[in-house]
Amino acid sequence: MQEALAGLAERFEVVTYDRRGRGRNESADIVSATAEVDDLLALVEHVGGTALIAGFSSGAGLVLHAAGQLPAATVVLVEPAVGGTPDESGLRESVQRRVADGDLEGAVREFYEATGTPEEIIQGLSDSPVWGDVVRCAPTLIADIDLTFVDDDVLAAVQKPVHVIVSDGSPPEITGMGTELAARVHAPVWREPGGWHGVDASALCARLVALD
């Protein structure tokens, strides 16, 4: 997404931010799905509205939960990690328990394994310099899990054009979430070049420009 944003910034005013509990926004005391929706709404109001709002993975769930309260805007969901039924696997409770016990790394690893992240990607991430930041953000995973549940009431409030973008390098369990969601909101699905759970930056940039 970051490379695509750099390309878009050459043509448009682009606003992005660190969601609470992540990146430079590390001082947030309360991390919840509701608080994240409030943050997004406040940001859009602060910048005076937006013509297009995009969310990736769990961020797509965040955009959907906020969209019904946003001013008119085109909604773009990139590889949305959402579904129409709440999580009943026990993952939320287990991650919450690990976080409470201070086992942040265990919480991250369990979340990634439960959501189908390939072992080589987890290993590569854990060997990289960013792993410490990923582990520090473990408390945000609980909000992510809550944001994946998008029921019919949430979708009914989204009275805006919706587009779904998926990667041709993602497995069916990921792209299937996007196509299922698109069917629920009667949205087109754009399949673009990319890797596992990620769309090629130039392709994503071109698609977003075309949707403007």
Side-chain angles (χ1 to χ4, degrees), residues 33 37 40-41 53-70 74-84 146-164 177-178 180-182 184-185 187:
V37 169
L40 179 54
L41 294 173
I53 184 163
F56 167 69
S57 193
S58 67
L62 170 57
V63 168
L64 282 172
H65 280 276
Q69 302 175 67
L70 288 171
T74 297
V75 173
V76 179
L77 309 171
V78 183
E79 296 265 285
V82 302
D146 290 342
L147 288 168
T148 63
F149 174 45
V150 179
D151 63 17
D152 291 340
D153 289 340
V154 170
L155 295 184
V158 185
Q159 300 296 314
K160 301 168 176 65
V162 177
H163 295 265
V164 175
M177 288 189 286
E180 179 182 343
L181 173 65
R184 293 172 65 198
V185 294

mmCIF file of all heavy atoms in Angstrom, residues 33 37 40-41 53-70 74-84 146-164 177-178 180-182 184-185 187:
data_model
loop_
_atom_site.group_PDB
_atom_site.id
_atom_site.type_symbol
_atom_site.label_atom_id
_atom_site.label_comp_id
_atom_site.label_asym_id
_atom_site.label_seq_id
_atom_site.Cartn_x
_atom_site.Cartn_y
_atom_site.Cartn_z
ATOM 1 N N ALA A 33 -12.525 -1.698 18.360
ATOM 2 C CA ALA A 33 -13.115 -1.434 17.056
ATOM 3 C C ALA A 33 -13.868 -0.103 17.063
ATOM 4 O O ALA A 33 -13.757 0.691 16.124
ATOM 5 C CB ALA A 33 -14.042 -2.581 16.670
ATOM 6 N N VAL A 37 -13.080 3.269 14.738
ATOM 7 C CA VAL A 37 -14.069 3.913 13.870
ATOM 8 C C VAL A 37 -14.158 5.399 14.196
ATOM 9 O O VAL A 37 -14.173 6.249 13.289
ATOM 10 C CB VAL A 37 -15.445 3.241 14.020
ATOM 11 C CG1 VAL A 37 -16.530 4.071 13.342
ATOM 12 C CG2 VAL A 37 -15.415 1.835 13.431
ATOM 13 N N LEU A 40 -11.205 7.274 12.693
ATOM 14 C CA LEU A 40 -11.310 7.477 11.248
ATOM 15 C C LEU A 40 -12.308 8.581 10.920
ATOM 16 O O LEU A 40 -12.044 9.446 10.072
ATOM 17 C CB LEU A 40 -11.704 6.173 10.562
ATOM 18 C CG LEU A 40 -11.885 6.226 9.043
ATOM 19 C CD1 LEU A 40 -10.649 6.787 8.351
ATOM 20 C CD2 LEU A 40 -12.228 4.842 8.498
ATOM 21 N N LEU A 41 -13.452 8.568 11.574
ATOM 22 C CA LEU A 41 -14.452 9.609 11.339
ATOM 23 C C LEU A 41 -13.899 10.987 11.678
ATOM 24 O O LEU A 41 -14.119 11.966 10.948
ATOM 25 C CB LEU A 41 -15.705 9.332 12.170
ATOM 26 C CG LEU A 41 -16.499 8.067 11.805
ATOM 27 C CD1 LEU A 41 -17.613 7.835 12.817
ATOM 28 C CD2 LEU A 41 -17.067 8.173 10.396
ATOM 29 N N ILE A 53 -12.072 6.622 -0.197
ATOM 30 C CA ILE A 53 -11.467 6.096 1.022
ATOM 31 C C ILE A 53 -11.186 4.616 0.814
ATOM 32 O O ILE A 53 -12.044 3.868 0.331
ATOM 33 C CB ILE A 53 -12.371 6.328 2.256
ATOM 34 C CG1 ILE A 53 -11.667 5.870 3.523
ATOM 35 C CG2 ILE A 53 -13.743 5.685 2.096
ATOM 36 C CD1 ILE A 53 -12.303 6.428 4.796
ATOM 37 N N ALA A 54 -9.955 4.216 1.115
ATOM 38 C CA ALA A 54 -9.527 2.843 0.864
ATOM 39 C C ALA A 54 -9.028 2.205 2.147
ATOM 40 O O ALA A 54 -8.420 2.868 2.995
ATOM 41 C CB ALA A 54 -8.427 2.810 -0.192
ATOM 42 N N GLY A 55 -9.290 0.907 2.278
ATOM 43 C CA GLY A 55 -8.792 0.155 3.422
ATOM 44 C C GLY A 55 -8.275 -1.193 2.973
ATOM 45 O O GLY A 55 -8.849 -1.824 2.079
ATOM 46 N N PHE A 56 -7.183 -1.635 3.575
ATOM 47 C CA PHE A 56 -6.551 -2.906 3.227
ATOM 48 C C PHE A 56 -6.716 -3.895 4.369
ATOM 49 O O PHE A 56 -6.509 -3.561 5.528
ATOM 50 C CB PHE A 56 -5.067 -2.697 2.921
ATOM 51 C CG PHE A 56 -4.262 -3.961 2.843
ATOM 52 C CD1 PHE A 56 -4.449 -4.856 1.798
ATOM 53 C CD2 PHE A 56 -3.335 -4.274 3.824
ATOM 54 C CE1 PHE A 56 -3.716 -6.044 1.731
ATOM 55 C CE2 PHE A 56 -2.593 -5.442 3.763
ATOM 56 C CZ PHE A 56 -2.782 -6.329 2.717
ATOM 57 N N SER A 57 -7.104 -5.137 4.046
ATOM 58 C CA SER A 57 -7.190 -6.241 5.005
ATOM 59 C C SER A 57 -8.157 -5.876 6.133
ATOM 60 O O SER A 57 -9.325 -5.588 5.887
ATOM 61 C CB SER A 57 -5.791 -6.582 5.527
ATOM 62 O OG SER A 57 -5.796 -7.810 6.215
ATOM 63 N N SER A 58 -7.674 -5.836 7.390
ATOM 64 C CA SER A 58 -8.572 -5.444 8.481
ATOM 65 C C SER A 58 -8.986 -3.991 8.345
ATOM 66 O O SER A 58 -10.049 -3.582 8.825
ATOM 67 C CB SER A 58 -7.901 -5.665 9.837
ATOM 68 O OG SER A 58 -6.800 -4.787 10.011
ATOM 69 N N GLY A 59 -8.153 -3.186 7.673
ATOM 70 C CA GLY A 59 -8.516 -1.793 7.429
ATOM 71 C C GLY A 59 -9.748 -1.668 6.561
ATOM 72 O O GLY A 59 -10.483 -0.671 6.639
ATOM 73 N N ALA A 60 -10.002 -2.681 5.719
ATOM 74 C CA ALA A 60 -11.231 -2.681 4.927
ATOM 75 C C ALA A 60 -12.445 -2.835 5.835
ATOM 76 O O ALA A 60 -13.487 -2.204 5.621
ATOM 77 C CB ALA A 60 -11.190 -3.802 3.896
ATOM 78 N N GLY A 61 -12.311 -3.668 6.849
ATOM 79 C CA GLY A 61 -13.388 -3.801 7.823
ATOM 80 C C GLY A 61 -13.621 -2.500 8.560
ATOM 81 O O GLY A 61 -14.770 -2.099 8.802
ATOM 82 N N LEU A 62 -12.545 -1.818 8.904
ATOM 83 C CA LEU A 62 -12.662 -0.524 9.574
ATOM 84 C C LEU A 62 -13.413 0.471 8.693
ATOM 85 O O LEU A 62 -14.321 1.170 9.155
ATOM 86 C CB LEU A 62 -11.258 0.003 9.908
ATOM 87 C CG LEU A 62 -11.153 1.441 10.396
ATOM 88 C CD1 LEU A 62 -12.014 1.673 11.626
ATOM 89 C CD2 LEU A 62 -9.689 1.785 10.676
ATOM 90 N N VAL A 63 -13.043 0.528 7.421
ATOM 91 C CA VAL A 63 -13.719 1.454 6.494
ATOM 92 C C VAL A 63 -15.203 1.131 6.393
ATOM 93 O O VAL A 63 -16.053 2.030 6.402
ATOM 94 C CB VAL A 63 -13.048 1.404 5.112
ATOM 95 C CG1 VAL A 63 -13.899 2.106 4.064
ATOM 96 C CG2 VAL A 63 -11.660 2.035 5.175
ATOM 97 N N LEU A 64 -15.532 -0.145 6.310
ATOM 98 C CA LEU A 64 -16.943 -0.530 6.203
ATOM 99 C C LEU A 64 -17.729 -0.128 7.447
ATOM 100 O O LEU A 64 -18.859 0.355 7.352
ATOM 101 C CB LEU A 64 -17.058 -2.033 5.976
ATOM 102 C CG LEU A 64 -16.785 -2.522 4.557
ATOM 103 C CD1 LEU A 64 -16.736 -4.043 4.527
ATOM 104 C CD2 LEU A 64 -17.842 -2.007 3.588
ATOM 105 N N HIS A 65 -17.151 -0.336 8.616
ATOM 106 C CA HIS A 65 -17.848 0.019 9.858
ATOM 107 C C HIS A 65 -18.054 1.526 9.975
ATOM 108 O O HIS A 65 -19.005 1.972 10.622
ATOM 109 C CB HIS A 65 -17.077 -0.503 11.064
ATOM 110 C CG HIS A 65 -17.294 -1.956 11.348
ATOM 111 N ND1 HIS A 65 -18.365 -2.420 12.079
ATOM 112 C CD2 HIS A 65 -16.591 -3.053 10.980
ATOM 113 C CE1 HIS A 65 -18.312 -3.743 12.161
ATOM 114 N NE2 HIS A 65 -17.244 -4.155 11.502
ATOM 115 N N ALA A 66 -17.175 2.311 9.343
ATOM 116 C CA ALA A 66 -17.293 3.770 9.413
ATOM 117 C C ALA A 66 -18.071 4.359 8.252
ATOM 118 O O ALA A 66 -18.584 5.472 8.351
ATOM 119 C CB ALA A 66 -15.896 4.402 9.447
ATOM 120 N N ALA A 67 -18.188 3.627 7.147
ATOM 121 C CA ALA A 67 -18.685 4.203 5.895
ATOM 122 C C ALA A 67 -20.081 4.784 5.998
ATOM 123 O O ALA A 67 -20.396 5.789 5.348
ATOM 124 C CB ALA A 67 -18.632 3.157 4.781
ATOM 125 N N GLY A 68 -20.929 4.181 6.793
ATOM 126 C CA GLY A 68 -22.289 4.676 6.915
ATOM 127 C C GLY A 68 -22.373 6.054 7.536
ATOM 128 O O GLY A 68 -23.380 6.746 7.377
ATOM 129 N N GLN A 69 -21.311 6.481 8.218
ATOM 130 C CA GLN A 69 -21.292 7.790 8.870
ATOM 131 C C GLN A 69 -20.388 8.779 8.153
ATOM 132 O O GLN A 69 -20.233 9.913 8.607
ATOM 133 C CB GLN A 69 -20.819 7.641 10.321
ATOM 134 C CG GLN A 69 -21.671 6.693 11.155
ATOM 135 C CD GLN A 69 -21.085 6.481 12.535
ATOM 136 O OE1 GLN A 69 -21.046 7.406 13.355
ATOM 137 N NE2 GLN A 69 -20.618 5.272 12.809
ATOM 138 N N LEU A 70 -19.785 8.352 7.051
ATOM 139 C CA LEU A 70 -18.883 9.225 6.310
ATOM 140 C C LEU A 70 -19.639 10.036 5.269
ATOM 141 O O LEU A 70 -20.663 9.593 4.761
ATOM 142 C CB LEU A 70 -17.808 8.390 5.613
ATOM 143 C CG LEU A 70 -16.723 7.769 6.491
ATOM 144 C CD1 LEU A 70 -15.883 6.812 5.666
ATOM 145 C CD2 LEU A 70 -15.840 8.862 7.098
ATOM 146 N N THR A 74 -16.267 7.343 -2.572
ATOM 147 C CA THR A 74 -16.142 6.003 -3.121
ATOM 148 C C THR A 74 -15.356 5.155 -2.138
ATOM 149 O O THR A 74 -14.325 5.584 -1.609
ATOM 150 C CB THR A 74 -15.409 6.045 -4.481
ATOM 151 O OG1 THR A 74 -16.189 6.796 -5.405
ATOM 152 C CG2 THR A 74 -15.190 4.642 -5.022
ATOM 153 N N VAL A 75 -15.833 3.950 -1.876
ATOM 154 C CA VAL A 75 -15.200 3.045 -0.915
ATOM 155 C C VAL A 75 -14.456 1.965 -1.686
ATOM 156 O O VAL A 75 -15.040 1.278 -2.523
ATOM 157 C CB VAL A 75 -16.265 2.415 0.011
ATOM 158 C CG1 VAL A 75 -15.632 1.347 0.901
ATOM 159 C CG2 VAL A 75 -16.934 3.493 0.862
ATOM 160 N N VAL A 76 -13.164 1.824 -1.390
ATOM 161 C CA VAL A 76 -12.348 0.808 -2.040
ATOM 162 C C VAL A 76 -11.793 -0.124 -0.962
ATOM 163 O O VAL A 76 -11.159 0.338 -0.002
ATOM 164 C CB VAL A 76 -11.189 1.428 -2.842
ATOM 165 C CG1 VAL A 76 -10.343 0.330 -3.476
ATOM 166 C CG2 VAL A 76 -11.727 2.370 -3.910
ATOM 167 N N LEU A 77 -12.034 -1.410 -1.139
ATOM 168 C CA LEU A 77 -11.623 -2.414 -0.157
ATOM 169 C C LEU A 77 -10.593 -3.331 -0.806
ATOM 170 O O LEU A 77 -10.897 -4.053 -1.753
ATOM 171 C CB LEU A 77 -12.844 -3.208 0.308
ATOM 172 C CG LEU A 77 -14.028 -2.340 0.765
ATOM 173 C CD1 LEU A 77 -15.259 -3.186 0.999
ATOM 174 C CD2 LEU A 77 -13.668 -1.534 2.009
ATOM 175 N N VAL A 78 -9.375 -3.278 -0.325
ATOM 176 C CA VAL A 78 -8.270 -4.041 -0.901
ATOM 177 C C VAL A 78 -8.040 -5.296 -0.062
ATOM 178 O O VAL A 78 -7.721 -5.205 1.127
ATOM 179 C CB VAL A 78 -6.989 -3.196 -0.958
ATOM 180 C CG1 VAL A 78 -5.867 -3.975 -1.641
ATOM 181 C CG2 VAL A 78 -7.236 -1.873 -1.675
ATOM 182 N N GLU A 79 -8.236 -6.464 -0.691
ATOM 183 C CA GLU A 79 -8.060 -7.739 0.019
ATOM 184 C C GLU A 79 -8.774 -7.720 1.381
ATOM 185 O O GLU A 79 -8.154 -7.943 2.423
ATOM 186 C CB GLU A 79 -6.573 -8.043 0.207
ATOM 187 C CG GLU A 79 -5.805 -8.258 -1.070
ATOM 188 C CD GLU A 79 -5.673 -9.729 -1.451
ATOM 189 O OE1 GLU A 79 -4.877 -10.440 -0.830
ATOM 190 O OE2 GLU A 79 -6.390 -10.155 -2.376
ATOM 191 N N PRO A 80 -10.069 -7.408 1.391
ATOM 192 C CA PRO A 80 -10.772 -7.268 2.668
ATOM 193 C C PRO A 80 -10.798 -8.566 3.471
ATOM 194 O O PRO A 80 -11.175 -9.610 2.958
ATOM 195 C CB PRO A 80 -12.186 -6.856 2.241
ATOM 196 C CG PRO A 80 -12.328 -7.366 0.841
ATOM 197 C CD PRO A 80 -10.966 -7.234 0.239
ATOM 198 N N ALA A 81 -10.376 -8.461 4.722
ATOM 199 C CA ALA A 81 -10.398 -9.614 5.627
ATOM 200 C C ALA A 81 -11.636 -9.484 6.505
ATOM 201 O O ALA A 81 -11.564 -9.086 7.674
ATOM 202 C CB ALA A 81 -9.126 -9.652 6.477
ATOM 203 N N VAL A 82 -12.799 -9.790 5.926
ATOM 204 C CA VAL A 82 -14.064 -9.625 6.630
ATOM 205 C C VAL A 82 -14.983 -10.797 6.320
ATOM 206 O O VAL A 82 -14.797 -11.524 5.348
ATOM 207 C CB VAL A 82 -14.767 -8.302 6.233
ATOM 208 C CG1 VAL A 82 -13.876 -7.103 6.515
ATOM 209 C CG2 VAL A 82 -15.168 -8.313 4.764
ATOM 210 N N GLY A 83 -15.991 -10.951 7.164
ATOM 211 C CA GLY A 83 -16.975 -11.993 6.949
ATOM 212 C C GLY A 83 -18.285 -11.625 7.606
ATOM 213 O O GLY A 83 -18.354 -10.683 8.409
ATOM 214 N N GLY A 84 -19.320 -12.364 7.287
ATOM 215 C CA GLY A 84 -20.653 -12.047 7.783
ATOM 216 C C GLY A 84 -21.028 -12.743 9.073
ATOM 217 O O GLY A 84 -22.149 -12.575 9.557
ATOM 218 N N ASP A 146 -12.428 -8.073 15.836
ATOM 219 C CA ASP A 146 -13.789 -7.537 15.927
ATOM 220 C C ASP A 146 -14.209 -6.848 14.626
ATOM 221 O O ASP A 146 -15.371 -6.926 14.217
ATOM 222 C CB ASP A 146 -13.883 -6.545 17.089
ATOM 223 C CG ASP A 146 -13.778 -7.228 18.448
ATOM 224 O OD1 ASP A 146 -13.978 -8.461 18.516
ATOM 225 O OD2 ASP A 146 -13.466 -6.528 19.436
ATOM 226 N N LEU A 147 -13.266 -6.182 13.970
ATOM 227 C CA LEU A 147 -13.590 -5.462 12.732
ATOM 228 C C LEU A 147 -13.858 -6.399 11.561
ATOM 229 O O LEU A 147 -14.471 -5.992 10.567
ATOM 230 C CB LEU A 147 -12.452 -4.503 12.370
ATOM 231 C CG LEU A 147 -12.319 -3.264 13.259
ATOM 232 C CD1 LEU A 147 -10.991 -2.565 12.994
ATOM 233 C CD2 LEU A 147 -13.480 -2.304 13.033
ATOM 234 N N THR A 148 -13.416 -7.653 11.666
ATOM 235 C CA THR A 148 -13.661 -8.585 10.563
ATOM 236 C C THR A 148 -15.133 -8.965 10.451
ATOM 237 O O THR A 148 -15.571 -9.427 9.390
ATOM 238 C CB THR A 148 -12.838 -9.878 10.721
ATOM 239 O OG1 THR A 148 -13.245 -10.574 11.910
ATOM 240 C CG2 THR A 148 -11.356 -9.583 10.788
ATOM 241 N N PHE A 149 -15.892 -8.795 11.523
ATOM 242 C CA PHE A 149 -17.313 -9.142 11.498
ATOM 243 C C PHE A 149 -18.115 -7.972 10.950
ATOM 244 O O PHE A 149 -18.224 -6.922 11.583
ATOM 245 C CB PHE A 149 -17.789 -9.519 12.897
ATOM 246 C CG PHE A 149 -19.278 -9.760 12.985
ATOM 247 C CD1 PHE A 149 -19.942 -10.508 12.028
ATOM 248 C CD2 PHE A 149 -20.009 -9.243 14.049
ATOM 249 C CE1 PHE A 149 -21.309 -10.737 12.100
ATOM 250 C CE2 PHE A 149 -21.369 -9.468 14.139
ATOM 251 C CZ PHE A 149 -22.019 -10.216 13.168
ATOM 252 N N VAL A 150 -18.651 -8.147 9.756
ATOM 253 C CA VAL A 150 -19.432 -7.099 9.095
ATOM 254 C C VAL A 150 -20.814 -7.664 8.789
ATOM 255 O O VAL A 150 -20.990 -8.437 7.845
ATOM 256 C CB VAL A 150 -18.741 -6.628 7.802
ATOM 257 C CG1 VAL A 150 -19.575 -5.552 7.122
ATOM 258 C CG2 VAL A 150 -17.339 -6.112 8.100
ATOM 259 N N ASP A 151 -21.792 -7.308 9.603
ATOM 260 C CA ASP A 151 -23.126 -7.882 9.415
ATOM 261 C C ASP A 151 -23.933 -7.071 8.415
ATOM 262 O O ASP A 151 -23.480 -6.057 7.878
ATOM 263 C CB ASP A 151 -23.852 -8.018 10.757
ATOM 264 C CG ASP A 151 -24.117 -6.685 11.449
ATOM 265 O OD1 ASP A 151 -24.036 -5.631 10.779
ATOM 266 O OD2 ASP A 151 -24.409 -6.695 12.663
ATOM 267 N N ASP A 152 -25.152 -7.526 8.158
ATOM 268 C CA ASP A 152 -25.995 -6.883 7.144
ATOM 269 C C ASP A 152 -26.372 -5.457 7.512
ATOM 270 O O ASP A 152 -26.560 -4.609 6.633
ATOM 271 C CB ASP A 152 -27.255 -7.713 6.904
ATOM 272 C CG ASP A 152 -26.957 -9.037 6.216
ATOM 273 O OD1 ASP A 152 -25.876 -9.158 5.593
ATOM 274 O OD2 ASP A 152 -27.797 -9.956 6.300
ATOM 275 N N ASP A 153 -26.497 -5.173 8.816
ATOM 276 C CA ASP A 153 -26.836 -3.814 9.237
ATOM 277 C C ASP A 153 -25.716 -2.840 8.884
ATOM 278 O O ASP A 153 -25.977 -1.708 8.461
ATOM 279 C CB ASP A 153 -27.103 -3.771 10.748
ATOM 280 C CG ASP A 153 -28.406 -4.447 11.125
ATOM 281 O OD1 ASP A 153 -29.270 -4.608 10.244
ATOM 282 O OD2 ASP A 153 -28.558 -4.830 12.303
ATOM 283 N N VAL A 154 -24.466 -3.273 9.077
ATOM 284 C CA VAL A 154 -23.325 -2.424 8.720
ATOM 285 C C VAL A 154 -23.335 -2.150 7.220
ATOM 286 O O VAL A 154 -23.184 -1.011 6.772
ATOM 287 C CB VAL A 154 -21.995 -3.086 9.135
ATOM 288 C CG1 VAL A 154 -20.801 -2.332 8.551
ATOM 289 C CG2 VAL A 154 -21.877 -3.135 10.658
ATOM 290 N N LEU A 155 -23.546 -3.190 6.423
ATOM 291 C CA LEU A 155 -23.533 -3.026 4.970
ATOM 292 C C LEU A 155 -24.706 -2.189 4.475
ATOM 293 O O LEU A 155 -24.569 -1.429 3.511
ATOM 294 C CB LEU A 155 -23.531 -4.390 4.282
ATOM 295 C CG LEU A 155 -22.294 -5.262 4.519
ATOM 296 C CD1 LEU A 155 -22.385 -6.539 3.695
ATOM 297 C CD2 LEU A 155 -21.013 -4.507 4.195
ATOM 298 N N ALA A 156 -25.852 -2.320 5.119
ATOM 299 C CA ALA A 156 -27.030 -1.556 4.697
ATOM 300 C C ALA A 156 -26.808 -0.055 4.842
ATOM 301 O O ALA A 156 -27.424 0.743 4.129
ATOM 302 C CB ALA A 156 -28.246 -1.988 5.497
ATOM 303 N N ALA A 157 -25.922 0.320 5.760
ATOM 304 C CA ALA A 157 -25.659 1.745 5.993
ATOM 305 C C ALA A 157 -24.679 2.325 4.982
ATOM 306 O O ALA A 157 -24.507 3.540 4.915
ATOM 307 C CB ALA A 157 -25.116 1.948 7.407
ATOM 308 N N VAL A 158 -24.051 1.470 4.185
ATOM 309 C CA VAL A 158 -23.036 1.929 3.220
ATOM 310 C C VAL A 158 -23.731 2.314 1.914
ATOM 311 O O VAL A 158 -23.811 1.525 0.979
ATOM 312 C CB VAL A 158 -21.967 0.840 2.976
ATOM 313 C CG1 VAL A 158 -20.866 1.383 2.062
ATOM 314 C CG2 VAL A 158 -21.378 0.357 4.288
ATOM 315 N N GLN A 159 -24.238 3.507 1.855
ATOM 316 C CA GLN A 159 -24.951 3.988 0.670
ATOM 317 C C GLN A 159 -23.994 4.749 -0.240
ATOM 318 O O GLN A 159 -24.206 5.913 -0.565
ATOM 319 C CB GLN A 159 -26.121 4.874 1.105
ATOM 320 C CG GLN A 159 -27.130 4.168 1.989
ATOM 321 C CD GLN A 159 -27.821 3.020 1.256
ATOM 322 O OE1 GLN A 159 -28.255 3.170 0.114
ATOM 323 N NE2 GLN A 159 -27.924 1.882 1.916
ATOM 324 N N LYS A 160 -22.918 4.078 -0.646
ATOM 325 C CA LYS A 160 -21.879 4.689 -1.458
ATOM 326 C C LYS A 160 -21.373 3.660 -2.454
ATOM 327 O O LYS A 160 -21.509 2.455 -2.224
ATOM 328 C CB LYS A 160 -20.711 5.143 -0.571
ATOM 329 C CG LYS A 160 -21.101 6.152 0.511
ATOM 330 C CD LYS A 160 -19.992 6.320 1.522
ATOM 331 C CE LYS A 160 -20.373 7.400 2.543
ATOM 332 N NZ LYS A 160 -21.554 6.995 3.354
ATOM 333 N N PRO A 161 -20.753 4.080 -3.550
ATOM 334 C CA PRO A 161 -20.147 3.110 -4.468
ATOM 335 C C PRO A 161 -19.043 2.328 -3.760
ATOM 336 O O PRO A 161 -18.207 2.921 -3.068
ATOM 337 C CB PRO A 161 -19.576 3.991 -5.593
ATOM 338 C CG PRO A 161 -20.266 5.300 -5.472
ATOM 339 C CD PRO A 161 -20.601 5.473 -4.029
ATOM 340 N N VAL A 162 -19.040 1.012 -3.932
ATOM 341 C CA VAL A 162 -18.034 0.154 -3.307
ATOM 342 C C VAL A 162 -17.321 -0.638 -4.400
ATOM 343 O O VAL A 162 -17.958 -1.168 -5.322
ATOM 344 C CB VAL A 162 -18.682 -0.815 -2.295
ATOM 345 C CG1 VAL A 162 -17.624 -1.752 -1.701
ATOM 346 C CG2 VAL A 162 -19.389 -0.054 -1.185
ATOM 347 N N HIS A 163 -15.999 -0.725 -4.285
ATOM 348 C CA HIS A 163 -15.193 -1.532 -5.190
ATOM 349 C C HIS A 163 -14.297 -2.439 -4.354
ATOM 350 O O HIS A 163 -13.766 -2.012 -3.325
ATOM 351 C CB HIS A 163 -14.326 -0.650 -6.095
ATOM 352 C CG HIS A 163 -15.105 0.207 -7.031
ATOM 353 N ND1 HIS A 163 -15.376 -0.175 -8.333
ATOM 354 C CD2 HIS A 163 -15.687 1.421 -6.857
ATOM 355 C CE1 HIS A 163 -16.089 0.774 -8.914
ATOM 356 N NE2 HIS A 163 -16.295 1.758 -8.052
ATOM 357 N N VAL A 164 -14.123 -3.673 -4.802
ATOM 358 C CA VAL A 164 -13.275 -4.638 -4.116
ATOM 359 C C VAL A 164 -12.108 -4.998 -5.030
ATOM 360 O O VAL A 164 -12.297 -5.284 -6.212
ATOM 361 C CB VAL A 164 -14.071 -5.912 -3.749
ATOM 362 C CG1 VAL A 164 -13.144 -6.967 -3.135
ATOM 363 C CG2 VAL A 164 -15.201 -5.565 -2.781
ATOM 364 N N MET A 177 -13.035 -14.110 0.545
ATOM 365 C CA MET A 177 -13.656 -13.124 1.428
ATOM 366 C C MET A 177 -14.031 -11.878 0.643
ATOM 367 O O MET A 177 -15.092 -11.273 0.867
ATOM 368 C CB MET A 177 -12.703 -12.770 2.575
ATOM 369 C CG MET A 177 -12.547 -13.861 3.606
ATOM 370 S SD MET A 177 -11.625 -13.345 5.081
ATOM 371 C CE MET A 177 -9.951 -13.297 4.422
ATOM 372 N N GLY A 178 -13.170 -11.496 -0.300
ATOM 373 C CA GLY A 178 -13.463 -10.318 -1.110
ATOM 374 C C GLY A 178 -14.637 -10.532 -2.044
ATOM 375 O O GLY A 178 -15.518 -9.676 -2.154
ATOM 376 N N GLU A 180 -17.046 -12.748 -1.788
ATOM 377 C CA GLU A 180 -18.284 -12.921 -1.013
ATOM 378 C C GLU A 180 -18.826 -11.574 -0.556
ATOM 379 O O GLU A 180 -20.029 -11.301 -0.645
ATOM 380 C CB GLU A 180 -18.032 -13.816 0.202
ATOM 381 C CG GLU A 180 -19.265 -14.025 1.064
ATOM 382 C CD GLU A 180 -18.989 -14.872 2.296
ATOM 383 O OE1 GLU A 180 -17.951 -15.559 2.338
ATOM 384 O OE2 GLU A 180 -19.820 -14.838 3.229
ATOM 385 N N LEU A 181 -17.929 -10.719 -0.074
ATOM 386 C CA LEU A 181 -18.346 -9.386 0.346
ATOM 387 C C LEU A 181 -18.910 -8.600 -0.836
ATOM 388 O O LEU A 181 -19.942 -7.934 -0.719
ATOM 389 C CB LEU A 181 -17.166 -8.634 0.959
ATOM 390 C CG LEU A 181 -17.409 -7.174 1.297
ATOM 391 C CD1 LEU A 181 -18.462 -7.049 2.401
ATOM 392 C CD2 LEU A 181 -16.116 -6.494 1.714
ATOM 393 N N ALA A 182 -18.238 -8.671 -1.973
ATOM 394 C CA ALA A 182 -18.697 -7.943 -3.161
ATOM 395 C C ALA A 182 -20.107 -8.356 -3.553
ATOM 396 O O ALA A 182 -20.932 -7.522 -3.938
ATOM 397 C CB ALA A 182 -17.727 -8.174 -4.318
ATOM 398 N N ARG A 184 -22.369 -9.385 -1.543
ATOM 399 C CA ARG A 184 -23.305 -8.875 -0.534
ATOM 400 C C ARG A 184 -23.631 -7.397 -0.756
ATOM 401 O O ARG A 184 -24.743 -6.951 -0.418
ATOM 402 C CB ARG A 184 -22.741 -9.076 0.874
ATOM 403 C CG ARG A 184 -22.616 -10.542 1.293
ATOM 404 C CD ARG A 184 -21.884 -10.677 2.614
ATOM 405 N NE ARG A 184 -22.631 -10.080 3.713
ATOM 406 C CZ ARG A 184 -22.079 -9.747 4.888
ATOM 407 N NH1 ARG A 184 -20.779 -9.907 5.073
ATOM 408 N NH2 ARG A 184 -22.825 -9.219 5.837
ATOM 409 N N VAL A 185 -22.675 -6.642 -1.286
ATOM 410 C CA VAL A 185 -22.914 -5.198 -1.484
ATOM 411 C C VAL A 185 -23.076 -4.842 -2.959
ATOM 412 O O VAL A 185 -23.128 -3.660 -3.311
ATOM 413 C CB VAL A 185 -21.772 -4.359 -0.860
ATOM 414 C CG1 VAL A 185 -21.756 -4.506 0.641
ATOM 415 C CG2 VAL A 185 -20.425 -4.720 -1.463
ATOM 416 N N ALA A 187 -20.970 -5.124 -5.470
ATOM 417 C CA ALA A 187 -19.811 -4.343 -5.893
ATOM 418 C C ALA A 187 -18.996 -5.110 -6.919
ATOM 419 O O ALA A 187 -18.959 -6.344 -6.902
ATOM 420 C CB ALA A 187 -18.931 -4.022 -4.686
#
